[in-house]
């Protein structure tokens, strides 16, 4: 990797570590734009829980195994 590209990567990673996370603002903007269903993919329901605290009226689903995938597919179809 060229030196300049390596330096840019280091700078970007450093800024990412110290920059604020704008999770709530992003979710609020998505809801304001009409998003009414959020699907979290992966183990656990951490992000789904955060969204529920931001707005309890939106639908949140979590996919972490075959059973939850089947359930999510049925919920999205409805």
């Amino acid at each position: 990797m060229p030196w300049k590209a390596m330096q840019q990567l280091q700078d970007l990673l450093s800024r990412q570590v110290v920059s604020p996370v704008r999770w709530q603002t992003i979710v609020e903007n998505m809801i304001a734009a009409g998003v009414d269903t959020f699907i979290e993919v992966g183990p656990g329901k951490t992000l789904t829980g955060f969204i529920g605290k931001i707005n309890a009226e939106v639908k949140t689903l979590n996919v972490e195994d075959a059973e939850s995938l089947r359930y999510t597919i049925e919920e999205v179809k409805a």
Side-chain angles (χ1 to χ4, degrees), residues 66-77:
E67 181 180 338
S68 60
L69 175 59
R70 282 189 291 276
Y71 176 79
T72 297
I73 290 169
E74 290 304 314
E75 286 294 308
V76 171
K77 284 181 182 178

Side-chain angles (χ1 to χ4, degrees), residues 14-27:
S14 295
R15 280 190 275 156
Q16 184 175 1
V17 170
V18 298
S19 296
V21 175
R22 304 196 44 94
W23 173 259
Q24 182 169 345
T25 302
I26 292 168
V27 170

Side-chain angles (χ1 to χ4, degrees), residues 57-71:
E57 295 178 18
V58 297
K59 181 183 284 190
T60 57
L61 301 163
N62 174 265
V63 176
E64 59 184 343
D65 55 26
E67 181 180 338
S68 60
L69 175 59
R70 282 189 291 276
Y71 176 79

